[in-house]
Every structure is written in structure tokens, then in C-alpha cells.
Amino acid sequence: MDEKKAARLQKLETEAAALMGKIRAEDDIEKKKQLIAKRERIQSQANSIKNNRRISREAKRDLVAYSFIAPNFIGFAVFTLIPILFAFVLAFMNWDGSNAPSFAGLSNFARLPQDTFFVAALKNTLIYVVGTVPLTMIASLALAIVLNQKIRAKGFFRTVAFFPYVASLVAITAVWSMIFHPSKGPVNYLLLTVFGVDQKNLPQWFSGGLVLLTLILFSVWKYMGYYMVIYLAGLQGISGELYEAGSLDGANTWQKFLYITWPQLRSTTFFVVVMLTINCFKVYDIAVMLAGGGDGKLSTSATVLVYYIYQNAFNYWDLGYSSAIAMVLFLMVLVITLIQFRYEKKISE
Amino acid sequence: MNQTAKSKKFRSKKRAAILGKVGIYAILLLITACMIVPFLWMLSASIKSDREVFQMNPFVWIPEIPKWDNYIKIWTKIPLLKFVENTVFLTIVVTFLQLLTSSFAAYSFAKLEFKHKNALFLAYIATIAMPWQVYMVPQFIMMRQMGLNDKLLAMICLQAFSAFGVFLMKQFYEGIPGELCEAARIDGMSEYKIYAKIMLPLSKPALSTLTIFTFVSTWNDYLGPLIYLKSESKKTIQLGLKMFIGQYSSEYGLIMAGSVLSLIPVIIVFLCLQKYFVEGVASTGLKG
Amino acid sequence: MRRKMVSVLLTGAMLATVLAGCGSKPQDSGNADAGTDTPAPADTTQADTPDDAGDDADAGAESAGGEAVTLKWAIWDKDTTPYWNALKEAYEASHDGVTIEMTDLGSADYQTVLATELSGSGSDFDVVTIKDVPGYATLVSKNTLEPLDTYIADAGIDLSQYGGVDKQVTVDGSLYELPFRNDFWVIFYNKDIFDAAGVDYPTNDMTFEEYDALARQVADPTFGSQVYGTHYHTWRSAVQLFGVLDGQHSILDGEYDFFKPYYEMVLSQEDDTICRNYADLSAEGLHYSAAFSGGDVAMLNMGSWYISTLISSLQSGEYDSSLCGNWGIVKYPHAEGVEPGSTLGTITGLAVTSVSENKDAAFDFVAWVSGAEGAKVMAETGNFPALMNDEVSGIIAGLEGFPSDEASKEALSVSNLYLEVPYAENVSAINDILDTYHKSIMNREVSIDEGIASMNEEVGKIMAQ
């Protein structure tokens, strides 16, 4: 036993000495740092053997830290990380979930541009994102600014604005499809009686060219309360002195917004836009529930990427192809997030 | 002369301020109306008969004979109680696990030094930008292989370990001064004790925020249960409601009664926790 | 460095899962292949008793049932569909030692759920119910069903008793399911509405022109007291499939110009408020039963499954009998110069899974349910068995609540039955394409010609693959 220990100690020490030589010879500071860290680790291992401790202090510290992370990380790794990697692999395979999978190369991706339904889904998703992100941002910012003023019943207004976010989608889409019902709904009834729109020209909110507009309006309505809270938190971080200084300089409300509020909220806006973009690309349930009709199927005017991913996976069992579409979704989110990161960095420099 | 000009200016400024206030209230009321009218419509329709729901001329909010029995009938038309049970069980377990494991892991990331810390945290951050829909299919295949298809446990595994929770809690803990922990360490407190006795009690706003987010998203989730929960006895209230709408499409009163019932728990949770909410969002760095 | 290590670890973990996922596959597909190529050895026991289907069923059960056998059977809507339990009880009563265990997968996404259940390992179903042909095609292509040819030959089952329906679901010469229920489309009509309007009832021999004229005659577009002459549910079958009744066309053609006259007829009825607007129906997801039982729809084209729903819902008081209690049925309208009685059918079948450990016992159950005895049970619960004959239609027409007029009874006899969706390899995808453009046409997003052109183009792409 002791002999073994001695041999191991010997080995560690020679290793440490060799590293010392390397460190002296190394010019690159980064690499030098790495080597030093490595040597320290070896040294501490050697020390712990010398002092007859089973594990070093560092190892113990690491273990405690890992024990904190483990419960979450194990679940996270098994149920999120592995499937993500699996998804990347799957995009290059042909698999129906039962028979043996085969390697497909890029053929799944090659199919995409010719697929009418994919192209329609992509187009609709992009329109939806481009429509929803700015509108929600503006609406929630405006609401946050108004609610940040000294007004009565602030809490009440804030709660009400947050209601749609909390409400379940199934319930609230059921209400929307009644309110916007093409021939019986109150909205079209108002258009017919008050605004004198001809019965033949009443808008068909859930089909054709209007359906995406309805989806966008619905999302703005539902999610603006959520982003308003984030903006509200951002606004509360702006020091009042800035506004006082602005008043002294004779700035009007609009100028104060332009030169104080907006720049101060830049990082909040960045966060809001990134989250909004990610969430908008995920759109599925809103489309199915508002435009799906009785059978939940979407026609080319309302189909979205996630719907098509679902269709290919669970109806056609073309798992590779569905994963390839998912990759397109991911790439778009990634590119947009990176562009925003770049932009944010550039401005803050 | 000078004096009157000044007071005139002052008065006009005051008038402008009042006008501004009025304008703000007008806008607020308009927005509030947009936000709340669908909910009022829902409540009103839930006590109407099917023919009254779309009656516009004259439109009444409360019908002459309110049909309260819609709220009783809905329980017998579909196994609503079972759906509620499933959803309550899922939501509570997921929220509890999420709070516990996230705050646990976040403490480590925020206050401890250890090997591979950055790499591990990067793994979390990278997946926040990854829509779940990208990997839902492989995840499903894996879960099925593990025998978790059509089990409530699958939904728990799916939702209880989100990267978002860890991120949110870590941001919050980083705002707590490190000296607090250092002092406790010198007193000989173990890390577990520091977490339980010092950090946890301080993190009420962040925990409330995370509770609202988790509770709302689990309670209202649709696509997840749609993929995983197939037999009727496992379904959640969202799936059940959707199923009911499919079968009894023209029973508007009942549909709305079911919808109202499905909203009550989330709204209660939200109202109880909302006083911490903005504070929580502000202190968890969610504002960016 | 650190990052690298984490990624190596993760890749390893992932590979392990992928391998684990695939590891179980070759076994499954091997099983299925064995089924196609060589008959399972156990079959010989059944071949010893080449009697007619009914007797053989008993014998088969005995040979399989030396010990107690439990068969797991996938079904939907156990509580609202009376025949599942009736079939189970009748079979168990006549077959000692066999227990049938039913698992309810719900009707909404039944085929999706079933395909999921049967994918990979871990399923323990012996017998599965097949709800529609696209779902059947999926299961067959996933090698999850057992080919039944050798079993059928050994049991001496005469497939001609199914009136040719079996040929429409034969895959590369093999049959993977036996039909036990066969619904066909008829016209339901509300006699009270016709009486009130003073219009003659529809008949068993109507051309489409006559049908259209009748719908227009009986309709009352006055706002407030609207009566719709006819009603089309949002399914594409309700409109498109008028076109296949002449026997010249099928939905697998790849050329859909023959839909055109029927779209024109329905859309112009919509324009004149003869029927409800598709966009409205779709927005509220109106169920056809809600439409017909509301008492403002004179005619409804729908499958024969609605007969038993109507009877039982009227008896239980769920439907107001003053609104729709006085109903009748007639045969589907037909194109000029075609013999009446051609209609659309939908079959429901039973199949044996390739992973079942009791394939013989499972097949015996399948054969019994789709045979004469099963047919009797089906008819007694008001449903149409695949094995239709005069006795069976007599049972249905004699049910309490079935309309008493002669025309309704006569409407039960079918001369030609075309499946809504016959089998083809890509039938799932074709079905979805036709659905999608049906939606677009009916929502008036595109003109009829554009919609049909898109159908031709997209289905063409699929067929070219």
C-alpha cells in the first residue's frame, strides 16, 4: 500500500517538475496560465497524498458545488441536452421511429426548398415574427411608461394588463373565436351596424389573408402584459436625477424619452427583443387554436413551422425530415440572436 | 406685467399637466377595456344559454335568467375533476421541483468556485435560446424508450429542470453581497446551511417570480401534454377543454363555464404573489 | 479544454442513447420480416381444422387456449361506444380461457397515439383496431402489423364476403387487417322541415341536379328564421367525394378536375345561404350533430354511424325530439346516368401486431369479430358490420327508433361501395394535401381552379417520389 503511494507521489512530483520547465519555456501568457493551473492541481494532489488525506480541499470544494448542481443538472442533461444533440444527428438520418434508421446525408435539407408546405410555413412564421416583435415591444413599452407615472390604481391597471398572459390559451382563444366570429361575432356586428360595412365584405378573421393579422393581434394582446412587467422593472432602475437634470435643461416629455429613457432601457430592450423573437418563432398553439377550425389542421395561409414539424413527426413519421425543419427553426433563432448580440455590443462600446 | 406673464405660463403649464393626466387615464382605460372585455364576455357567456350568447340586439351582460347550472353540468359532461386533479398534481410537483433544484444549482453557480463552472453554465445558457420545439421529437423518442409515454412523470421530467429557472435564480443570488456568505463560512457554517438559512429566506421575490412563471406555463401548457399524455385519465385541463370544445362545439355556455373554471387557479396564484412580482423581475436581472 | 471535455462526454451519452434506441429495432423488423416470408410454425395447429369461419373460430380458440390467454386490444371511446364491450363479452362467453383486455386510447388522435404506442419496443398490444386507411398505411410501413394472408388461408375465410372492400386495403398482395365495421354515407333528412315547407321528401333515386334543386326549394334564407336546405360538414369527404361515385375516379388519381362541379354546386349553395358558410363552421368548429339536431337543417350527408347516435341521443333526451325527432334517410345522390346506390364507405378493421406473443389466439379473435357472429353483435348495437347481408340490415331496420318508412329501409342496401380513402403508400400525405386545399377553396382563399391545380401539382410531387 505504502509503496504504491510512494510511487504515485514520485510520479506526480516528476510531472510537476516537468511542467515547471514547460511553464518557463512557454511565451504565450494564456497557455502559461493553463499550465500553471495544471501544475497546481498536480501539486495539490501530491500534497493530499503526503498529508494522508483521501481527497484534497479543492476536490472537496468541487464535490460540494457539484452536489448543489447535480439534482438540476442531471435532469437537465438527460431531458434537454441529450435530446438536443440527438436532434442534430436525426436531421441527417432517415427514420420512421420503428424500422432501422439509415444515414441520409443532406437529403432532408435538399427536400426543403421544393416543399410547398415548408415554404408556406416558413413565410408565415417570418411574417408573424416581423409583425409581432415590434408591435409587442412598442405596446409594452408604452404601457410600462404610462404605468410608471404617478397615477391612481396603478396596481389594478398593472394586474389587468397581466391577465391575458396568465389566462390559459385554450380558454382565451375560445373567447376570441367567438368575439371575432365571421358572421355572428360582436366585432363584425359592430362593423356591420356602426361602421356600415357591407355584409359581403365583413372580414373573415380566421382564414385567408387576415388570419396572420389576427394571430399577430392576439399575440400582442396576450403577451404585452408580460413584457410590460420587464420594462417596468427596467424603468424603475433609471435614476430620477437624470429626469430632473433633463427638466432643468428644458427638455420636453418626448425629448426626455428620446434622450434619457430609451438609451437607459437599451439592455432591457435587447432582452425583450431576444425573448420575443425566440417565443414568436415557437408559435404553434395560437395558430392551431385560432385558425385550425374543428380538426386543428392548418391550411397554407396559416401553417407555421412548428405545426409542420409536428405533422412530419407524428403524422408521417418522417422523423429525419421533421428534425431538419427544426434545424432551420433553430438556425433562424440563432442568427437573429447573434445579430442582436453584435448590435448590442457595438452600441455599448 | 412680468408677474402676470409668469403666472399665465404657470397656469398653462398646469393646464397641460391636467390635460396630460386626463389623456393618460383615457389611454389606460381604453387599454384596460381591451384587456378585460374578453374576460367579461367569457363570464357573461358562461351563464347564458346557447341562443343568448350571440344575441346582439339588445346585448345584455347578465341574462334575465342566468344559467348557473352550466357550472354544474360541465363537471358531468367531461371528467373535469380528473383533469383538474392531474393538472394540479403536475403543476404543484413541477413548480416545487423547479424552485428547489433551480435555487440549489443557482446558489452553486453564483457563490461557489469549482471546476468547469463556466462550461456548465454555458450549457444552460445555450439552451435558453433553443426553442423546445426543435428537440421535442427526439426527446419524445427518448422518453418513449424509457417507458415514459403516456405517464404524468414524463411531463414532470420535461418541465421540472429548465435552464430558465437556474438562470433567473443565479442572477438574483449574484445581487446578494458575497460577504454574507463569507461571514457565515468563517463562523463554520456548511454550504448547505448557508443556502438554507441565509440565501433561501432572502430570495422570496425571485422565488415568487419563478413560481408565477412556472405555475402559469405548466398549468397552461398545451403542446407538451398533447404529445405525451394520451389516455383520457391522464389528460390535463387544457387538453380536456380542447377536447370538450371539439365535441360540444355549439354549447357556448358550457365551454365558457369550463374556461372560467380553468382560469381560477392561475389567477389566484398570480394575485397572491404579484406584490413581489415586479420587484422579483427587477432583481433577477430579467430586465436585461 | 474544459469545454471540449464536456462535449466529449455529452456526445458519448448521446451515442449511447441512439444506439440503445436502434438496438431494439433490428429485432422488431426481423420479427415482421419473418412474418412476411415464412408462416409462423404455430399456424399448423389451426390448419388442422379447415371448417368454415365460424366453427374454426371455436377450434382455434381451443388449440390456442390450452392455457389461459389474455389478449390486449386497443380501442377508443369505451364509454360512449357500446359495441366494444358487447364484442368482448360475447367472445369471452364462447371461448373459455380467453380474456380480452381493452385499452382506451381516445378517439381524437387515435391513429397517432396507436402509431406511437407501436413504435419501437415496449408495446404489448395483441390486437389493434384500425380506424382509418391513412393510419393503416402508416402502421404497415412501420412493420408493426402482422400480414394475415397465411392465417386467412389456413382458416379458410372467404374474402369475397366483404364485397371487394378487402382489395382496397391490400398492400403488395398482403392483407394486414380484417374489416369488422363498414359505414357508408347516406342523406339524413328532417321530415318536419319538408312538411312545413310543403316540399316532397328526398328519394332513393336522385341525381345531383335534383338534389341541388330540392335543397334550394326547402331552404328559407329569411334572416332570423333561417332554414338550411342542406349541410356539409367541414371534412373534405363531404364535398370532394361526390366526385368518385361514378366509379371512374378515385382520390388516388393525382388529377382532381372531377371535383370541380361539386365545389361549384356547394359554393353557390353557400352564396345563396342554402347551406351554412364553411368559414363560420370552421371558426366555431361546429359539429355536424349539433347542426342537424338544431332543427334548422333539412338534409345532411353523413356516414351511417350517425344513425345509432341519432337513435340513442333522441331516446336519452339529449336531442330535442321536437327539433329533429322526425327523421329519415335516403341513398346518396348520383351523377346523371349512373345507377343509384353507389356510395362512400369507411371501414374499421382489426389487425394483429407483429410483436404479439399470442398471434394465433389474436387472429382467432379478429376472425370472429369480423365474421358472422361479430356481425350479429354489431348489428344488434345499431352498427353496420363489414359483413352486410339481408339479415343484418333487417336487424338494424328493426331497431326501435329507426324510421319506419320504406325508403329509409331501402336506403340501407348499397350497390357500389367506394372507400373514402383506399390504400396507397403515401395515402397519409395525399390525404393531408387534399384536406389543405379543400380548406383553402372552401375558405375562398383561392378559386376552385387554383385549388384543384395545387392539388394536382402537390399530389403529383408525392407520386413522383
Side-chain angles (χ1 to χ4, degrees):
Chain A
M1 204 46 181
D2 272 355
E3 258 171 49
K4 250 189 193 165
K5 242 188 204 170
R8 205 170 132 68
L9 192 59
Q10 179 77 35
K11 200 181 150 219
L12 284 172
E13 272 171 354
T14 41
E15 221 174 295
L19 272 174
M20 200 61 207
K22 264 194 201 163
I23 290 168
R24 292 220 176 85
E26 183 61 60
D27 288 332
D28 187 334
I29 292 191
E30 277 302 306
K31 280 188 183 159
K32 210 167 190 166
K33 270 189 192 156
Q34 281 180 6
L35 288 172
I36 291 174
K38 199 173 170 192
R39 186 177 165 274
E40 268 171 8
R41 231 177 296 139
I42 291 172
Q43 200 72 53
S44 83
Q45 274 179 8
N47 282 345
S48 61
I49 293 177
K50 264 189 213 155
N51 302 341
N52 243 343
R53 253 190 286 134
R54 284 274 263 322
I55 44 172
S56 70
R57 195 179 296 142
E58 282 78 38
K60 195 177 166 203
R61 187 199 64 187
D62 285 356
L63 276 183
V64 171
Y66 288 146
S67 74
F68 272 101
I69 298 178
N72 192 284
F73 189 78
I74 292 173
F76 168 72
V78 172
F79 299 113
T80 305
L81 278 185
I82 294 175
I84 287 177
L85 296 171
F86 195 0
F88 280 103
V89 176
L90 204 53
F92 301 94
M93 310 269 266
N94 277 329
W95 196 30
D96 68 353
S98 288
N99 297 313
S102 65
F103 184 68
L106 290 171
S107 66
N108 284 331
F109 292 95
R111 271 166 71 191
L112 291 173
Q114 279 121 45
D115 185 340
T116 317
F117 298 99
F118 168 74
V119 174
L122 184 67
K123 194 185 102 204
N124 291 339
T125 310
L126 286 174
I127 294 176
Y128 172 79
V129 171
V130 169
T132 310
V133 173
L135 268 181
T136 313
M137 198 200 86
I138 293 167
S140 56
L141 176 60
L143 192 60
I145 289 175
V146 171
L147 283 181
N148 205 34
Q149 311 289 318
K150 284 199 184 68
I151 47 163
R152 275 164 210 275
K154 208 189 272 186
F156 167 75
F157 288 123
R158 199 184 278 171
T159 309
V160 167
F162 205 68
F163 251 40
Y165 172 72
V166 187
S168 93
L169 210 55
V170 179
I172 210 68
T173 47
V175 176
W176 267 63
S177 50
M178 285 162 73
I179 293 182
F180 286 86
H181 190 288
S183 64
K184 293 189 276 185
V187 170
N188 277 6
Y189 182 77
L190 282 181
L191 287 177
L192 181 75
T193 52
V194 179
F195 296 95
V197 180
D198 194 47
Q199 186 148 17
K200 285 262 182 276
N201 298 329
L202 282 178
Q204 302 281 325
W205 296 101
F206 303 112
S207 60
L210 271 183
V211 62
L212 286 176
L213 181 70
T214 311
L215 294 187
I216 291 170
L217 285 179
F218 179 83
S219 314
V220 174
W221 177 81
K222 181 156 170 61
Y223 293 107
M224 90 187 211
Y226 172 79
Y227 294 101
M228 172 208 74
V229 172
I230 295 175
Y231 266 125
L232 215 47
L235 283 172
Q236 290 177 355
I238 302 177
S239 125
E241 286 163 25
L242 285 175
Y243 291 106
E244 275 163 33
S247 299
L248 284 180
D249 289 346
N252 63 23
T253 320
W254 173 244
Q255 284 165 334
K256 275 188 212 163
F257 169 77
L258 209 60
Y259 297 110
I260 303 172
T261 316
W262 180 246
Q264 288 286 317
L265 284 177
R266 209 192 52 238
S267 63
T268 310
T269 302
F270 167 72
F271 179 80
V272 165
V273 172
V274 169
M275 290 313 281
L276 254 174
T277 316
I278 295 174
N279 286 333
C280 284
F281 270 109
K282 294 181 190 179
V283 61
Y284 167 80
D285 24 23
I286 295 180
V288 167
M289 285 173 206
L290 281 181
D295 56 0
K297 285 194 172 167
L298 297 177
S299 69
T300 39
S301 61
T303 177
V304 287
L305 282 177
V306 174
Y307 172 78
Y308 203 45
I309 293 175
Y310 182 90
Q311 282 286 310
N312 271 292
F314 296 103
N315 277 358
Y316 312 145
W317 291 90
D318 199 344
L319 299 178
Y321 191 53
S322 115
S323 231
I325 303 167
M327 287 304 123
V328 174
L329 176 67
F330 170 64
L331 274 181
M332 283 190 310
V333 172
L334 189 73
V335 166
I336 288 175
T337 313
L338 284 181
I339 291 174
Q340 280 163 352
F341 256 109
R342 267 276 172 81
Y343 185 67
E344 156 81 4
K345 225 177 169 183
K346 214 165 122 192
I347 286 192
S348 57
E349 263 164 12
Chain B
M1 180 69 196
N2 208 358
Q3 197 70 13
T4 43
K6 228 179 198 173
S7 77
K8 223 178 214 170
K9 202 178 169 197
F10 183 72
R11 225 179 290 150
S12 75
K13 222 176 183 182
K14 210 171 171 191
R15 199 180 303 145
I18 292 175
L19 270 179
K21 269 273 145 73
V22 170
I24 284 179
Y25 278 110
I27 294 173
L28 265 183
L29 284 175
L30 191 73
I31 295 177
T32 311
C34 287
M35 292 290 162
I36 207 130
V37 160
F39 292 95
L40 294 179
W41 167 279
M42 184 191 279
L43 277 174
S44 150
S46 75
I47 49 169
K48 286 181 175 174
S49 70
D50 302 335
R51 286 190 185 273
E52 286 165 330
V53 167
F54 283 118
Q55 208 166 65
M56 292 299 151
N57 202 10
F59 180 79
V60 285
W61 285 104
I62 300 170
E64 256 171 62
I65 316 149
K67 284 189 71 181
W68 295 110
D69 66 330
N70 279 343
Y71 283 92
I72 298 164
K73 259 212 255 164
I74 182 83
W75 296 91
T76 52
K77 285 268 185 172
I78 44 169
L80 191 62
L81 191 65
K82 188 82 211 161
F83 299 153
V84 171
E85 259 174 50
N86 289 337
T87 321
V88 166
F89 170 76
L90 264 183
T91 313
I92 289 179
V93 173
V94 167
T95 309
F96 176 75
L97 279 178
Q98 173 82 275
L99 289 180
L100 190 77
T101 64
S102 304
S103 64
F104 219 52
Y107 173 69
S108 183
F109 279 122
K111 295 290 171 210
L112 298 176
E113 283 307 316
F114 55 93
K115 260 188 247 171
H116 309 309
K117 177 170 161 177
N118 291 332
L120 285 175
F121 194 64
L122 192 80
Y124 276 104
I125 292 296
T127 57
I128 290 187
M130 175 78 92
W132 172 67
Q133 283 78 357
V134 170
Y135 57 92
M136 66 182 183
V137 176
Q139 190 185 43
F140 172 77
I141 294 166
M142 206 183 79
M143 294 269 214
R144 197 194 59 208
Q145 216 69 18
M146 294 169 150
L148 289 176
N149 186 20
D150 201 20
K151 300 236 160 57
L152 288 177
L153 185 60
M155 290 313 299
I156 294 175
C157 295
L158 197 77
Q159 292 172 320
F161 312 102
S162 81
F164 181 73
V166 176
F167 175 73
L168 189 138
M169 293 305 294
K170 179 195 173 241
Q171 296 291 97
F172 180 81
Y173 284 148
E174 280 184 340
I176 297 179
E179 290 84 40
L180 265 177
C181 308
E182 282 306 323
R185 263 175 221 140
I186 291 167
D187 287 349
M189 258 195 190
S190 75
E191 297 293 341
Y192 303 103
K193 236 183 176 161
I194 298 176
Y195 161 80
K197 291 267 150 78
I198 298 177
M199 296 306 254
L200 214 49
L202 282 174
S203 45
K204 250 189 210 158
L207 289 177
S208 307
T209 309
L210 187 56
T211 306
I212 292 182
F213 283 148
T214 315
F215 197 97
V216 168
S217 68
T218 314
W219 186 272
N220 291 339
D221 191 13
Y222 178 74
L223 188 54
L226 177 73
I227 293 176
Y228 284 95
L229 305 175
K230 303 296 168 48
S231 43
E232 197 168 295
S233 61
K234 303 274 168 48
K235 282 191 171 161
T236 63
I237 190 159
Q238 304 302 331
L239 290 181
L241 206 55
K242 185 80 186 124
M243 189 179 85
F244 181 77
I245 293 175
Q247 280 171 8
Y248 299 91
S249 50
S250 59
E251 311 235 1
Y252 307 107
L254 283 176
I255 291 174
M256 289 298 109
S259 301
V260 171
L261 291 175
S262 82
L263 292 186
I264 292 173
V266 252
I267 286 180
I268 290 177
V269 168
F270 172 65
L271 291 180
C272 290
L273 296 176
Q274 68 145 341
K275 82 173 171 173
Y276 297 107
F277 192 53
V278 176
E279 189 193 341
V281 171
S283 57
T284 46
L286 268 191
K287 62 188 192 321
Chain C
M1 244 283 290
R2 287 169 179 180
R3 229 173 278 170
K4 209 173 186 179
M5 228 190 77
V6 174
S7 66
V8 166
L9 270 176
L10 288 175
T11 321
M14 175 202 63
L15 276 180
T17 2
V18 175
L19 288 179
C22 310
S24 55
K25 295 292 120 42
Q27 226 180 327
D28 291 353
S29 44
N31 240 342
D33 286 346
T36 350
D37 298 335
T38 52
D43 288 0
T44 41
T45 46
Q46 260 194 350
D48 291 342
T49 52
D51 278 311
D52 72 72
D55 285 358
D56 179 64
D58 294 336
E62 272 152 33
S63 64
E67 70 232 56
V69 182
T70 304
L71 296 175
K72 266 197 86 178
W73 181 23
I75 56 157
W76 63 84
D77 289 358
K78 192 166 154 187
D79 297 330
T80 51
T81 316
Y83 56 79
W84 303 124
N85 213 32
L87 288 170
K88 165 191 150 88
E89 275 168 9
Y91 185 77
E92 281 175 351
S94 58
H95 296 71
D96 281 341
V98 183
T99 317
I100 307 287
E101 210 182 288
M102 296 185 286
T103 305
D104 189 341
L105 300 180
S107 61
D109 301 303
Y110 176 81
Q111 282 299 147
T112 309
V113 179
L114 185 62
T116 320
E117 283 285 332
L118 293 182
S119 300
S121 51
S123 149
D124 53 354
F125 283 119
D126 299 291
V127 178
V128 293
T129 318
I130 309 281
K131 199 176 180 191
D132 54 38
V133 177
Y136 170 73
T138 306
L139 292 180
V140 170
S141 78
K142 283 159 79 70
N143 279 330
T144 48
L145 301 182
E146 183 77 3
L148 301 177
D149 307 308
T150 44
Y151 297 91
I152 291 169
D154 290 343
I157 295 172
D158 176 16
L159 289 177
S160 66
Q161 63 187 345
Y162 297 114
V165 173
D166 57 298
K167 292 198 184 64
Q168 300 183 56
V169 290
T170 301
V171 183
D172 294 335
S174 295
L175 195 60
Y176 292 80
E177 69 169 335
L178 281 181
F180 74 98
R181 183 174 156 189
N182 189 351
D183 284 294
F184 51 92
W185 287 60
V186 293
I187 302 276
F188 292 81
Y189 65 97
N190 191 326
K191 292 179 182 171
D192 289 344
I193 294 180
F194 281 90
D195 291 343
V199 178
D200 288 339
Y201 294 159
T203 66
N204 279 324
D205 183 2
M206 282 189 293
T207 62
F208 280 105
E209 286 76 31
E210 286 164 346
Y211 159 78
D212 185 36
L214 191 64
R216 288 169 179 278
Q217 210 181 339
V218 75
D220 178 4
T222 320
F223 191 83
S225 59
Q226 251 154 354
V227 172
Y228 299 99
T230 182
H231 181 85
Y232 303 96
H233 191 52
T234 50
W235 298 329
R236 67 173 178 79
S237 300
V239 180
Q240 289 181 350
L241 294 192
F242 284 142
V244 305
L245 294 178
D246 58 7
Q248 318 275 319
H249 301 285
S250 139
I251 74 136
L252 301 176
D253 281 2
E255 286 290 335
Y256 301 101
D257 301 311
F258 63 90
F259 289 162
K260 194 176 173 189
Y262 304 101
Y263 273 119
E264 280 169 347
M265 174 180 88
V266 173
L267 288 183
S268 95
Q269 286 179 348
E270 256 191 16
D271 286 339
D272 303 338
T273 347
I274 304 301
C275 61
R276 275 198 175 84
N277 192 307
Y278 181 91
D280 286 1
L281 291 178
S282 169
E284 55 196 280
L286 188 72
H287 198 261
Y288 57 84
S289 62
F292 190 73
S293 62
D296 55 357
V297 165
M299 291 189 279
L300 166 75
N301 60 335
M302 193 37 68
S304 53
W305 57 82
Y306 190 47
I307 293 176
S308 63
T309 315
L310 252 177
I311 292 177
S312 64
S313 300
L314 279 167
Q315 274 167 358
S316 72
E318 178 145 1
Y319 292 171
D320 187 344
S321 59
S322 69
L323 292 178
C324 66
N326 194 10
W327 57 283
I329 53 174
V330 288
K331 289 179 183 175
Y332 235 48
H334 56 89
E336 198 74 56
V338 179
E339 154 197 34
S342 294
T343 187
L344 309 164
T346 308
I347 55 166
T348 313
L350 288 185
V352 177
T353 63
S354 53
V355 290
S356 166
E357 282 165 7
N358 296 306
K359 292 201 179 85
D360 290 319
F363 178 75
D364 184 67
F365 176 64
V366 170
W368 183 89
V369 171
S370 49
E373 280 144 294
K376 224 176 130 206
V377 176
M378 292 296 291
E380 279 160 359
T381 52
N383 294 284
F384 292 83
L387 221 161
M388 263 310 249
N389 52 34
D390 291 345
E391 188 201 346
V392 170
S393 37
I395 295 179
I396 292 174
L399 286 173
E400 201 191 323
F402 190 86
S404 53
D405 60 304
E406 277 310 310
S408 294
K409 276 175 199 156
E410 201 196 311
L412 293 181
S413 71
V414 174
S415 59
N416 286 308
L417 191 75
Y418 303 103
L419 282 195
E420 277 183 58
V421 194
Y423 172 82
E425 200 184 341
N426 294 316
V427 68
S428 246
I430 296 175
N431 199 34
D432 271 9
I433 290 170
L434 296 182
D435 272 346
T436 301
Y437 290 107
H438 173 67
K439 245 181 197 189
S440 303
I441 294 175
M442 296 303 288
N443 269 327
R444 325 259 174 151
E445 290 167 10
V446 297
S447 73
I448 299 174
D449 288 325
E450 286 163 348
I452 291 179
S454 302
M455 289 178 192
N456 293 345
E457 189 190 331
E458 294 303 325
V459 174
K461 270 190 212 168
I462 299 233
M463 291 187 155
Q465 268 173 29

